[in-house]
Amino acid sequence: MSWNSFGRVLRFSTWGESHGPAIGALVDGCPPGLALDESLIQPWLDARRPGASRLTSRRREPDRVRILSGTFEGRTTGTPISLIIDNVDARPRDYGERPPYRPGHADYAYDAKYGLSDWRGGGRSSARETAARVAAGAVARLVIPEITIRAWLVELGGDIIDRTRFDPEAIGANPVACPDPEAAGRWQELVEQARKAGTSLGAVVECVATGVPAGWGAPVYAKLDADLAAAMMSINAVKGVEIGDGFAAARLRGEENADPMRPGRGARPRFLSNHAGGVAGGISTGQPIVVRAAFKPTPSILKAIDTIGRDGKSATASTGGRHDPCVAIRGAPVIEAMMALVLADHKLLHRAQCGGGK
């Protein structure tokens, strides 16, 4: 069993550390014959890479991906696809000698499990690992060309968007992936203030997948929403996940939470609402799949926090180096990638059980 792998039919594994020579992913189970080269992966990595604006990490990584296996003459062969991304701007010297346990990081947890931890940027627990997920997600998108996936921030530092001002065009027009132009202006100032103060902010990312047909998923132990929740929770810094209305559903009455249906095309219903987020009983309903993920504030901050050293004695810890004052800003492409990987896996699972008719 590998704890660095995810998926059933379309299965991917990631490897590498934040300050090692490279990171990468291995994607297995991808159907043969799909057009694939580096140019189809690179745009997704460019959307996630650090150093793209003054509101993200100053680490300068080009994140150029190379395909090492699994393709021939520009098409997938059905064999494992190996992807590698070199780390070219790692600076382990920024971390000095081994620090005390850094609160909010995985230092102590890794020590408790493995007897050692890589404190240079967090090793495997670093957000750097997510670049490999984005590369794997680009491959998954080829399996589900009928589906459109888009993610954006709906809350940052406790400031929530006004959905009456929701503008899809605004998402790519500002550095905080915000669909509310007015909130985007406020958020940029909030992030800049946090950076100057040596602290960080949390945020909530919303992701919507449209074009998912009814019938994907399975009851009980292979639920589509359960796999989506597991995928999102596996992302470094994510501490909460909602499907559809999520926790807000607990504040509704039954008739308010139900998604009424009217006759639609053929035997298919026309839904009047989507409180369920496109999933009922673990199976897709044909409505948009809606997922939200809460990112904690980046734990790498300049402010000193009480802790202990590895000798058990009192200490304080602060983290130098180059870090995101709000890691969720670069989290939107990662959420999209995990959505794509889960949906591609469930498409292949559905085809295996029920055939390719729907």
Side-chain angles (χ1 to χ4, degrees):
M1 178 178 181
S2 171
W3 289 279
N4 296 287
S5 300
F6 192 89
R8 295 181 179 85
V9 178
L10 185 75
R11 187 171 179 83
F12 77 99
S13 304
T14 65
W15 54 267
E17 291 79 34
S18 173
H19 285 65
I23 58 174
L26 183 70
V27 182
D28 199 6
C30 181
L34 302 177
L36 176 63
D37 60 26
E38 286 87 348
S39 69
L40 296 175
I41 301 175
Q42 196 60 51
W44 307 109
L45 285 167
D46 290 344
R48 193 223 67 99
R49 68 180 177 83
S53 82
R54 61 186 176 84
L55 302 182
T56 62
S57 168
R58 299 303 201 265
R59 183 168 174 171
R60 299 288 180 177
E61 291 286 355
D63 281 354
R64 305 303 299 183
V65 65
R66 287 180 288 147
I67 300 174
L68 302 184
S69 69
T71 63
F72 179 69
E73 295 183 339
R75 294 194 175 271
T76 59
T77 61
T79 58
I81 300 168
S82 183
L83 309 168
I84 185 171
I85 303 166
D86 292 320
N87 290 331
V88 303
D89 193 29
R91 293 203 320 223
R93 65 182 181 276
D94 287 348
Y95 297 88
E97 298 300 320
R98 179 183 291 270
Y101 293 126
R102 298 168 299 169
H105 289 78
D107 299 345
Y108 173 72
Y110 270 56
D111 261 4
K113 181 172 181 64
Y114 300 112
L116 56 88
S117 62
D118 184 348
W119 73 91
R120 307 164 306 161
R124 285 292 286 162
S125 67
S126 169
R128 180 80 187 126
E129 180 268 345
T130 62
R133 298 170 184 247
V134 172
V139 176
R141 288 175 189 261
L142 302 178
V143 181
I144 48 171
E146 69 272 36
I147 296 172
T148 299
I149 300 172
R150 190 80 187 273
W152 49 79
L153 273 67
V154 294
E155 180 178 339
L156 188 150
D159 188 351
I160 303 173
I161 67 167
D162 181 344
R163 290 188 180 269
T164 66
R165 292 197 295 262
F166 193 102
D167 179 5
E169 298 300 321
I171 298 169
N174 63 75
V176 288
C178 179
D180 175 354
E182 291 188 21
R186 299 194 304 269
W187 290 2
Q188 291 176 66
E189 183 61 27
L190 284 173
V191 174
E192 186 63 25
Q193 290 173 358
R195 184 186 67 80
K196 290 178 179 178
T199 187
S200 60
L201 299 171
V204 177
V205 175
E206 182 173 83
C207 186
V208 177
T210 56
V212 180
W216 290 6
V220 190
Y221 300 120
K223 290 183 176 181
L224 176 57
D225 46 354
D227 284 352
L228 285 169
M232 302 309 168
M233 283 298 297
S234 75
I235 299 170
N236 302 325
V238 169
K239 300 302 290 183
V241 177
E242 293 184 324
I243 310 294
D245 281 4
F247 282 95
R251 299 188 286 272
L252 301 176
R253 297 174 66 89
E255 65 272 19
E256 295 171 324
N257 185 63
D259 292 319
M261 291 179 279
R262 295 287 185 271
R265 293 183 178 179
R268 296 182 180 180
R270 176 173 59 88
F271 289 92
L272 304 186
S273 61
N274 190 20
H275 299 293
V279 184
I283 299 171
S284 61
T285 64
Q287 293 183 277
I289 305 292
V290 181
V291 177
R292 279 178 297 281
F295 284 76
K296 70 179 182 180
T298 315
S300 298
I301 57 175
L302 295 177
K303 291 183 177 292
I305 307 293
D306 288 338
T307 186
I308 64 169
R310 284 164 174 78
D311 57 4
K313 296 180 180 179
S314 295
T316 59
S318 63
T319 306
R322 302 158 295 171
H323 307 288
D324 292 272
C326 179
V327 72
I329 293 174
R330 294 195 295 124
V334 184
I335 295 290
E336 289 185 4
M338 296 307 293
M339 176 78 87
L341 285 156
V342 171
L343 292 178
D345 191 33
H346 273 270
K347 176 180 180 177
L348 297 177
L349 282 164
H350 179 76
R351 179 184 295 172
Q353 182 181 20
C354 301
K358 352 181 237 186

mmCIF file of all heavy atoms in Angstrom, residues 161-208:
data_model
loop_
_atom_site.group_PDB
_atom_site.id
_atom_site.type_symbol
_atom_site.label_atom_id
_atom_site.label_comp_id
_atom_site.label_asym_id
_atom_site.label_seq_id
_atom_site.Cartn_x
_atom_site.Cartn_y
_atom_site.Cartn_z
ATOM 1 N N ILE A 161 -17.108 37.414 -0.675
ATOM 2 C CA ILE A 161 -17.562 38.086 -1.891
ATOM 3 C C ILE A 161 -19.056 38.383 -1.824
ATOM 4 O O ILE A 161 -19.805 37.755 -1.074
ATOM 5 C CB ILE A 161 -17.270 37.249 -3.155
ATOM 6 C CG1 ILE A 161 -18.110 35.960 -3.171
ATOM 7 C CG2 ILE A 161 -15.800 36.946 -3.306
ATOM 8 C CD1 ILE A 161 -18.130 35.248 -4.500
ATOM 9 N N ASP A 162 -19.482 39.327 -2.624
ATOM 10 C CA ASP A 162 -20.900 39.601 -2.845
ATOM 11 C C ASP A 162 -21.280 38.882 -4.136
ATOM 12 O O ASP A 162 -20.842 39.261 -5.225
ATOM 13 C CB ASP A 162 -21.126 41.109 -2.974
ATOM 14 C CG ASP A 162 -22.593 41.472 -3.174
ATOM 15 O OD1 ASP A 162 -23.399 40.575 -3.510
ATOM 16 O OD2 ASP A 162 -22.927 42.654 -3.017
ATOM 17 N N ARG A 163 -22.089 37.834 -4.027
ATOM 18 C CA ARG A 163 -22.406 37.016 -5.206
ATOM 19 C C ARG A 163 -23.263 37.764 -6.226
ATOM 20 O O ARG A 163 -23.355 37.322 -7.375
ATOM 21 C CB ARG A 163 -23.060 35.710 -4.786
ATOM 22 C CG ARG A 163 -22.079 34.767 -4.081
ATOM 23 C CD ARG A 163 -22.674 33.399 -3.842
ATOM 24 N NE ARG A 163 -21.722 32.514 -3.174
ATOM 25 C CZ ARG A 163 -20.859 31.711 -3.805
ATOM 26 N NH1 ARG A 163 -20.836 31.691 -5.131
ATOM 27 N NH2 ARG A 163 -20.034 30.934 -3.124
ATOM 28 N N THR A 164 -23.875 38.862 -5.852
ATOM 29 C CA THR A 164 -24.616 39.650 -6.839
ATOM 30 C C THR A 164 -23.660 40.347 -7.799
ATOM 31 O O THR A 164 -24.071 40.831 -8.846
ATOM 32 C CB THR A 164 -25.524 40.690 -6.157
ATOM 33 O OG1 THR A 164 -24.723 41.666 -5.478
ATOM 34 C CG2 THR A 164 -26.474 40.033 -5.171
ATOM 35 N N ARG A 165 -22.378 40.431 -7.423
ATOM 36 C CA ARG A 165 -21.372 41.041 -8.302
ATOM 37 C C ARG A 165 -20.495 39.981 -8.961
ATOM 38 O O ARG A 165 -19.432 40.315 -9.498
ATOM 39 C CB ARG A 165 -20.503 42.013 -7.495
ATOM 40 C CG ARG A 165 -21.225 43.252 -7.000
ATOM 41 C CD ARG A 165 -20.225 44.325 -6.582
ATOM 42 N NE ARG A 165 -19.439 43.915 -5.431
ATOM 43 C CZ ARG A 165 -19.692 44.258 -4.173
ATOM 44 N NH1 ARG A 165 -20.750 45.008 -3.899
ATOM 45 N NH2 ARG A 165 -18.912 43.863 -3.182
ATOM 46 N N PHE A 166 -20.930 38.735 -8.961
ATOM 47 C CA PHE A 166 -20.120 37.648 -9.505
ATOM 48 C C PHE A 166 -19.884 37.855 -11.002
ATOM 49 O O PHE A 166 -20.814 37.926 -11.789
ATOM 50 C CB PHE A 166 -20.821 36.309 -9.272
ATOM 51 C CG PHE A 166 -19.943 35.106 -9.501
ATOM 52 C CD1 PHE A 166 -19.393 34.419 -8.430
ATOM 53 C CD2 PHE A 166 -19.662 34.663 -10.790
ATOM 54 C CE1 PHE A 166 -18.592 33.311 -8.633
ATOM 55 C CE2 PHE A 166 -18.855 33.564 -11.001
ATOM 56 C CZ PHE A 166 -18.317 32.883 -9.915
ATOM 57 N N ASP A 167 -18.605 37.937 -11.378
ATOM 58 C CA ASP A 167 -18.218 38.160 -12.765
ATOM 59 C C ASP A 167 -17.140 37.147 -13.143
ATOM 60 O O ASP A 167 -15.985 37.270 -12.707
ATOM 61 C CB ASP A 167 -17.687 39.582 -12.945
ATOM 62 C CG ASP A 167 -17.241 39.872 -14.371
ATOM 63 O OD1 ASP A 167 -17.433 39.008 -15.261
ATOM 64 O OD2 ASP A 167 -16.678 40.966 -14.601
ATOM 65 N N PRO A 168 -17.467 36.130 -13.936
ATOM 66 C CA PRO A 168 -16.470 35.116 -14.300
ATOM 67 C C PRO A 168 -15.233 35.698 -14.963
ATOM 68 O O PRO A 168 -14.130 35.161 -14.801
ATOM 69 C CB PRO A 168 -17.238 34.195 -15.257
ATOM 70 C CG PRO A 168 -18.670 34.422 -14.948
ATOM 71 C CD PRO A 168 -18.786 35.853 -14.527
ATOM 72 N N GLU A 169 -15.406 36.783 -15.703
ATOM 73 C CA GLU A 169 -14.270 37.389 -16.394
ATOM 74 C C GLU A 169 -13.274 38.014 -15.425
ATOM 75 O O GLU A 169 -12.101 38.196 -15.748
ATOM 76 C CB GLU A 169 -14.766 38.448 -17.383
ATOM 77 C CG GLU A 169 -15.656 37.912 -18.483
ATOM 78 C CD GLU A 169 -14.945 36.873 -19.338
ATOM 79 O OE1 GLU A 169 -13.745 37.066 -19.622
ATOM 80 O OE2 GLU A 169 -15.584 35.872 -19.694
ATOM 81 N N ALA A 170 -13.756 38.361 -14.238
ATOM 82 C CA ALA A 170 -12.882 39.011 -13.258
ATOM 83 C C ALA A 170 -11.880 38.044 -12.641
ATOM 84 O O ALA A 170 -10.834 38.463 -12.134
ATOM 85 C CB ALA A 170 -13.717 39.657 -12.156
ATOM 86 N N ILE A 171 -12.176 36.728 -12.670
ATOM 87 C CA ILE A 171 -11.342 35.753 -11.971
ATOM 88 C C ILE A 171 -9.905 35.786 -12.466
ATOM 89 O O ILE A 171 -8.962 35.789 -11.672
ATOM 90 C CB ILE A 171 -11.937 34.337 -12.125
ATOM 91 C CG1 ILE A 171 -13.332 34.274 -11.489
ATOM 92 C CG2 ILE A 171 -11.017 33.287 -11.501
ATOM 93 C CD1 ILE A 171 -14.112 33.018 -11.822
ATOM 94 N N GLY A 172 -9.731 35.810 -13.765
ATOM 95 C CA GLY A 172 -8.378 35.836 -14.315
ATOM 96 C C GLY A 172 -7.803 37.225 -14.486
ATOM 97 O O GLY A 172 -6.663 37.375 -14.930
ATOM 98 N N ALA A 173 -8.582 38.248 -14.109
ATOM 99 C CA ALA A 173 -8.144 39.627 -14.322
ATOM 100 C C ALA A 173 -7.523 40.248 -13.078
ATOM 101 O O ALA A 173 -7.104 41.405 -13.112
ATOM 102 C CB ALA A 173 -9.323 40.487 -14.787
ATOM 103 N N ASN A 174 -7.474 39.501 -11.968
ATOM 104 C CA ASN A 174 -6.855 40.017 -10.751
ATOM 105 C C ASN A 174 -5.985 38.928 -10.135
ATOM 106 O O ASN A 174 -6.196 37.741 -10.386
ATOM 107 C CB ASN A 174 -7.919 40.519 -9.767
ATOM 108 C CG ASN A 174 -8.849 39.426 -9.296
ATOM 109 O OD1 ASN A 174 -8.478 38.600 -8.470
ATOM 110 N ND2 ASN A 174 -10.090 39.412 -9.817
ATOM 111 N N PRO A 175 -4.999 39.282 -9.321
ATOM 112 C CA PRO A 175 -4.048 38.289 -8.803
ATOM 113 C C PRO A 175 -4.567 37.443 -7.653
ATOM 114 O O PRO A 175 -3.828 36.610 -7.133
ATOM 115 C CB PRO A 175 -2.869 39.156 -8.349
ATOM 116 C CG PRO A 175 -3.477 40.463 -7.993
ATOM 117 C CD PRO A 175 -4.609 40.664 -8.975
ATOM 118 N N VAL A 176 -5.826 37.656 -7.229
ATOM 119 C CA VAL A 176 -6.370 36.873 -6.125
ATOM 120 C C VAL A 176 -7.506 35.949 -6.568
ATOM 121 O O VAL A 176 -8.243 35.431 -5.739
ATOM 122 C CB VAL A 176 -6.835 37.785 -4.966
ATOM 123 C CG1 VAL A 176 -5.642 38.382 -4.250
ATOM 124 C CG2 VAL A 176 -7.763 38.893 -5.464
ATOM 125 N N ALA A 177 -7.652 35.731 -7.867
ATOM 126 C CA ALA A 177 -8.649 34.802 -8.416
ATOM 127 C C ALA A 177 -10.029 35.044 -7.829
ATOM 128 O O ALA A 177 -10.741 34.114 -7.452
ATOM 129 C CB ALA A 177 -8.224 33.352 -8.174
ATOM 130 N N CYS A 178 -10.429 36.314 -7.787
ATOM 131 C CA CYS A 178 -11.689 36.697 -7.160
ATOM 132 C C CYS A 178 -12.719 37.093 -8.209
ATOM 133 O O CYS A 178 -12.442 37.932 -9.073
ATOM 134 C CB CYS A 178 -11.460 37.859 -6.191
ATOM 135 S SG CYS A 178 -12.960 38.434 -5.366
ATOM 136 N N PRO A 179 -13.939 36.532 -8.149
ATOM 137 C CA PRO A 179 -14.971 36.869 -9.133
ATOM 138 C C PRO A 179 -15.733 38.149 -8.821
ATOM 139 O O PRO A 179 -16.579 38.559 -9.615
ATOM 140 C CB PRO A 179 -15.902 35.661 -9.065
ATOM 141 C CG PRO A 179 -15.796 35.199 -7.654
ATOM 142 C CD PRO A 179 -14.375 35.452 -7.244
ATOM 143 N N ASP A 180 -15.450 38.780 -7.690
ATOM 144 C CA ASP A 180 -16.091 40.032 -7.285
ATOM 145 C C ASP A 180 -15.046 41.138 -7.387
ATOM 146 O O ASP A 180 -14.137 41.216 -6.552
ATOM 147 C CB ASP A 180 -16.614 39.898 -5.848
ATOM 148 C CG ASP A 180 -17.189 41.193 -5.294
ATOM 149 O OD1 ASP A 180 -17.094 42.238 -5.941
ATOM 150 O OD2 ASP A 180 -17.738 41.146 -4.167
ATOM 151 N N PRO A 181 -15.118 41.996 -8.408
ATOM 152 C CA PRO A 181 -14.068 43.011 -8.612
ATOM 153 C C PRO A 181 -13.842 43.907 -7.397
ATOM 154 O O PRO A 181 -12.702 44.290 -7.119
ATOM 155 C CB PRO A 181 -14.588 43.814 -9.814
ATOM 156 C CG PRO A 181 -15.497 42.869 -10.541
ATOM 157 C CD PRO A 181 -16.149 42.045 -9.472
ATOM 158 N N GLU A 182 -14.906 44.247 -6.682
ATOM 159 C CA GLU A 182 -14.739 45.110 -5.510
ATOM 160 C C GLU A 182 -14.001 44.382 -4.397
ATOM 161 O O GLU A 182 -13.096 44.937 -3.765
ATOM 162 C CB GLU A 182 -16.102 45.613 -5.024
ATOM 163 C CG GLU A 182 -16.765 46.597 -5.973
ATOM 164 C CD GLU A 182 -18.018 47.211 -5.369
ATOM 165 O OE1 GLU A 182 -18.159 47.205 -4.119
ATOM 166 O OE2 GLU A 182 -18.864 47.685 -6.143
ATOM 167 N N ALA A 183 -14.370 43.136 -4.151
ATOM 168 C CA ALA A 183 -13.678 42.349 -3.131
ATOM 169 C C ALA A 183 -12.225 42.121 -3.525
ATOM 170 O O ALA A 183 -11.338 42.118 -2.662
ATOM 171 C CB ALA A 183 -14.383 41.014 -2.917
ATOM 172 N N ALA A 184 -11.959 41.945 -4.812
ATOM 173 C CA ALA A 184 -10.589 41.720 -5.273
ATOM 174 C C ALA A 184 -9.679 42.868 -4.858
ATOM 175 O O ALA A 184 -8.537 42.648 -4.428
ATOM 176 C CB ALA A 184 -10.567 41.544 -6.785
ATOM 177 N N GLY A 185 -10.171 44.092 -4.972
ATOM 178 C CA GLY A 185 -9.371 45.241 -4.561
ATOM 179 C C GLY A 185 -9.076 45.225 -3.069
ATOM 180 O O GLY A 185 -7.944 45.496 -2.642
ATOM 181 N N ARG A 186 -10.087 44.891 -2.262
ATOM 182 C CA ARG A 186 -9.889 44.818 -0.813
ATOM 183 C C ARG A 186 -8.911 43.706 -0.452
ATOM 184 O O ARG A 186 -8.046 43.874 0.409
ATOM 185 C CB ARG A 186 -11.219 44.572 -0.105
ATOM 186 C CG ARG A 186 -12.275 45.648 -0.311
ATOM 187 C CD ARG A 186 -13.410 45.501 0.697
ATOM 188 N NE ARG A 186 -14.047 44.192 0.671
ATOM 189 C CZ ARG A 186 -15.105 43.885 -0.077
ATOM 190 N NH1 ARG A 186 -15.620 44.797 -0.904
ATOM 191 N NH2 ARG A 186 -15.643 42.678 -0.016
ATOM 192 N N TRP A 187 -9.053 42.577 -1.124
ATOM 193 C CA TRP A 187 -8.226 41.424 -0.786
ATOM 194 C C TRP A 187 -6.749 41.681 -1.097
ATOM 195 O O TRP A 187 -5.873 41.255 -0.337
ATOM 196 C CB TRP A 187 -8.706 40.205 -1.556
ATOM 197 C CG TRP A 187 -10.036 39.692 -1.106
ATOM 198 C CD1 TRP A 187 -10.847 40.216 -0.126
ATOM 199 C CD2 TRP A 187 -10.728 38.563 -1.621
ATOM 200 N NE1 TRP A 187 -11.991 39.475 -0.006
ATOM 201 C CE2 TRP A 187 -11.953 38.453 -0.911
ATOM 202 C CE3 TRP A 187 -10.445 37.631 -2.610
ATOM 203 C CZ2 TRP A 187 -12.867 37.438 -1.166
ATOM 204 C CZ3 TRP A 187 -11.360 36.621 -2.871
ATOM 205 C CH2 TRP A 187 -12.559 36.524 -2.157
ATOM 206 N N GLN A 188 -6.478 42.349 -2.191
ATOM 207 C CA GLN A 188 -5.084 42.629 -2.514
ATOM 208 C C GLN A 188 -4.431 43.457 -1.418
ATOM 209 O O GLN A 188 -3.276 43.234 -1.048
ATOM 210 C CB GLN A 188 -5.003 43.335 -3.862
ATOM 211 C CG GLN A 188 -5.373 42.436 -5.039
ATOM 212 C CD GLN A 188 -5.374 43.168 -6.358
ATOM 213 O OE1 GLN A 188 -4.322 43.613 -6.821
ATOM 214 N NE2 GLN A 188 -6.541 43.298 -6.980
ATOM 215 N N GLU A 189 -5.182 44.402 -0.886
ATOM 216 C CA GLU A 189 -4.660 45.225 0.203
ATOM 217 C C GLU A 189 -4.484 44.386 1.468
ATOM 218 O O GLU A 189 -3.485 44.535 2.187
ATOM 219 C CB GLU A 189 -5.611 46.396 0.472
ATOM 220 C CG GLU A 189 -5.136 47.355 1.545
ATOM 221 C CD GLU A 189 -3.817 48.028 1.200
ATOM 222 O OE1 GLU A 189 -3.501 48.178 0.012
ATOM 223 O OE2 GLU A 189 -3.086 48.393 2.161
ATOM 224 N N LEU A 190 -5.432 43.494 1.762
ATOM 225 C CA LEU A 190 -5.330 42.635 2.934
ATOM 226 C C LEU A 190 -4.088 41.744 2.873
ATOM 227 O O LEU A 190 -3.362 41.594 3.863
ATOM 228 C CB LEU A 190 -6.578 41.752 3.055
ATOM 229 C CG LEU A 190 -7.859 42.391 3.576
ATOM 230 C CD1 LEU A 190 -9.021 41.399 3.470
ATOM 231 C CD2 LEU A 190 -7.689 42.838 5.020
ATOM 232 N N VAL A 191 -3.848 41.161 1.709
ATOM 233 C CA VAL A 191 -2.703 40.264 1.552
ATOM 234 C C VAL A 191 -1.399 41.050 1.671
ATOM 235 O O VAL A 191 -0.438 40.597 2.314
ATOM 236 C CB VAL A 191 -2.771 39.511 0.209
ATOM 237 C CG1 VAL A 191 -1.509 38.680 -0.014
ATOM 238 C CG2 VAL A 191 -3.994 38.612 0.171
ATOM 239 N N GLU A 192 -1.358 42.218 1.077
ATOM 240 C CA GLU A 192 -0.152 43.045 1.157
ATOM 241 C C GLU A 192 0.123 43.453 2.599
ATOM 242 O O GLU A 192 1.279 43.443 3.057
ATOM 243 C CB GLU A 192 -0.297 44.278 0.266
ATOM 244 C CG GLU A 192 0.947 45.141 0.167
ATOM 245 C CD GLU A 192 2.123 44.429 -0.457
ATOM 246 O OE1 GLU A 192 1.920 43.468 -1.231
ATOM 247 O OE2 GLU A 192 3.267 44.821 -0.150
ATOM 248 N N GLN A 193 -0.907 43.804 3.331
ATOM 249 C CA GLN A 193 -0.741 44.172 4.741
ATOM 250 C C GLN A 193 -0.228 42.981 5.551
ATOM 251 O O GLN A 193 0.646 43.143 6.419
ATOM 252 C CB GLN A 193 -2.067 44.675 5.315
ATOM 253 C CG GLN A 193 -2.509 46.027 4.791
ATOM 254 C CD GLN A 193 -3.907 46.399 5.274
ATOM 255 O OE1 GLN A 193 -4.568 45.639 5.975
ATOM 256 N NE2 GLN A 193 -4.367 47.577 4.879
ATOM 257 N N ALA A 194 -0.765 41.793 5.292
ATOM 258 C CA ALA A 194 -0.312 40.603 6.005
ATOM 259 C C ALA A 194 1.151 40.308 5.696
ATOM 260 O O ALA A 194 1.937 39.967 6.595
ATOM 261 C CB ALA A 194 -1.184 39.402 5.632
ATOM 262 N N ARG A 195 1.531 40.446 4.440
ATOM 263 C CA ARG A 195 2.926 40.197 4.057
ATOM 264 C C ARG A 195 3.868 41.143 4.778
ATOM 265 O O ARG A 195 4.894 40.731 5.327
ATOM 266 C CB ARG A 195 3.083 40.339 2.541
ATOM 267 C CG ARG A 195 4.479 40.000 2.025
ATOM 268 C CD ARG A 195 4.617 40.287 0.546
ATOM 269 N NE ARG A 195 4.533 41.720 0.255
ATOM 270 C CZ ARG A 195 5.540 42.570 0.419
ATOM 271 N NH1 ARG A 195 6.727 42.145 0.863
ATOM 272 N NH2 ARG A 195 5.392 43.847 0.123
ATOM 273 N N LYS A 196 3.534 42.426 4.809
ATOM 274 C CA LYS A 196 4.390 43.411 5.464
ATOM 275 C C LYS A 196 4.464 43.184 6.967
ATOM 276 O O LYS A 196 5.479 43.478 7.601
ATOM 277 C CB LYS A 196 3.878 44.819 5.171
ATOM 278 C CG LYS A 196 4.068 45.255 3.722
ATOM 279 C CD LYS A 196 3.502 46.643 3.480
ATOM 280 C CE LYS A 196 3.718 47.090 2.034
ATOM 281 N NZ LYS A 196 3.128 48.428 1.779
ATOM 282 N N ALA A 197 3.382 42.651 7.543
ATOM 283 C CA ALA A 197 3.343 42.396 8.981
ATOM 284 C C ALA A 197 3.999 41.070 9.358
ATOM 285 O O ALA A 197 4.073 40.738 10.540
ATOM 286 C CB ALA A 197 1.900 42.423 9.476
ATOM 287 N N GLY A 198 4.439 40.311 8.380
ATOM 288 C CA GLY A 198 5.083 39.030 8.648
ATOM 289 C C GLY A 198 4.126 37.939 9.073
ATOM 290 O O GLY A 198 4.516 36.993 9.765
ATOM 291 N N THR A 199 2.861 38.060 8.670
ATOM 292 C CA THR A 199 1.868 37.054 9.032
ATOM 293 C C THR A 199 1.181 36.536 7.773
ATOM 294 O O THR A 199 1.672 36.744 6.652
ATOM 295 C CB THR A 199 0.854 37.637 10.048
ATOM 296 O OG1 THR A 199 0.002 36.584 10.514
ATOM 297 C CG2 THR A 199 0.017 38.751 9.436
ATOM 298 N N SER A 200 0.047 35.858 7.909
ATOM 299 C CA SER A 200 -0.604 35.243 6.754
ATOM 300 C C SER A 200 -2.106 35.191 6.977
ATOM 301 O O SER A 200 -2.604 35.417 8.081
ATOM 302 C CB SER A 200 -0.062 33.828 6.520
ATOM 303 O OG SER A 200 -0.290 33.014 7.658
ATOM 304 N N LEU A 201 -2.830 34.847 5.908
ATOM 305 C CA LEU A 201 -4.292 34.816 5.925
ATOM 306 C C LEU A 201 -4.804 33.510 5.331
ATOM 307 O O LEU A 201 -4.178 32.938 4.433
ATOM 308 C CB LEU A 201 -4.862 35.987 5.107
ATOM 309 C CG LEU A 201 -4.498 37.397 5.573
ATOM 310 C CD1 LEU A 201 -4.945 38.414 4.526
ATOM 311 C CD2 LEU A 201 -5.127 37.701 6.924
ATOM 312 N N GLY A 202 -5.966 33.073 5.814
ATOM 313 C CA GLY A 202 -6.632 31.926 5.235
ATOM 314 C C GLY A 202 -7.648 32.356 4.193
ATOM 315 O O GLY A 202 -7.925 33.548 4.025
ATOM 316 N N ALA A 203 -8.220 31.389 3.496
ATOM 317 C CA ALA A 203 -9.194 31.707 2.458
ATOM 318 C C ALA A 203 -10.004 30.463 2.110
ATOM 319 O O ALA A 203 -9.646 29.344 2.497
ATOM 320 C CB ALA A 203 -8.498 32.247 1.208
ATOM 321 N N VAL A 204 -11.096 30.676 1.377
ATOM 322 C CA VAL A 204 -11.954 29.586 0.918
ATOM 323 C C VAL A 204 -11.986 29.594 -0.606
ATOM 324 O O VAL A 204 -12.237 30.639 -1.219
ATOM 325 C CB VAL A 204 -13.386 29.718 1.471
ATOM 326 C CG1 VAL A 204 -14.284 28.607 0.917
ATOM 327 C CG2 VAL A 204 -13.379 29.673 3.003
ATOM 328 N N VAL A 205 -11.730 28.440 -1.196
ATOM 329 C CA VAL A 205 -11.760 28.274 -2.656
ATOM 330 C C VAL A 205 -13.001 27.472 -3.023
ATOM 331 O O VAL A 205 -13.293 26.442 -2.417
ATOM 332 C CB VAL A 205 -10.501 27.551 -3.166
ATOM 333 C CG1 VAL A 205 -10.610 27.286 -4.671
ATOM 334 C CG2 VAL A 205 -9.253 28.358 -2.855
ATOM 335 N N GLU A 206 -13.724 27.957 -4.016
ATOM 336 C CA GLU A 206 -14.894 27.251 -4.540
ATOM 337 C C GLU A 206 -14.570 26.721 -5.930
ATOM 338 O O GLU A 206 -13.939 27.408 -6.733
ATOM 339 C CB GLU A 206 -16.090 28.204 -4.612
ATOM 340 C CG GLU A 206 -17.383 27.569 -5.094
ATOM 341 C CD GLU A 206 -18.552 28.533 -4.973
ATOM 342 O OE1 GLU A 206 -18.737 29.370 -5.887
ATOM 343 O OE2 GLU A 206 -19.257 28.470 -3.955
ATOM 344 N N CYS A 207 -15.000 25.502 -6.207
ATOM 345 C CA CYS A 207 -14.748 24.886 -7.508
ATOM 346 C C CYS A 207 -16.041 24.294 -8.053
ATOM 347 O O CYS A 207 -16.773 23.614 -7.318
ATOM 348 C CB CYS A 207 -13.685 23.790 -7.377
ATOM 349 S SG CYS A 207 -13.160 23.066 -8.950
ATOM 350 N N VAL A 208 -16.320 24.556 -9.317
ATOM 351 C CA VAL A 208 -17.537 24.064 -9.955
ATOM 352 C C VAL A 208 -17.164 23.304 -11.223
ATOM 353 O O VAL A 208 -16.394 23.797 -12.056
ATOM 354 C CB VAL A 208 -18.499 25.224 -10.287
ATOM 355 C CG1 VAL A 208 -19.728 24.701 -11.026
ATOM 356 C CG2 VAL A 208 -18.907 25.961 -9.015
#
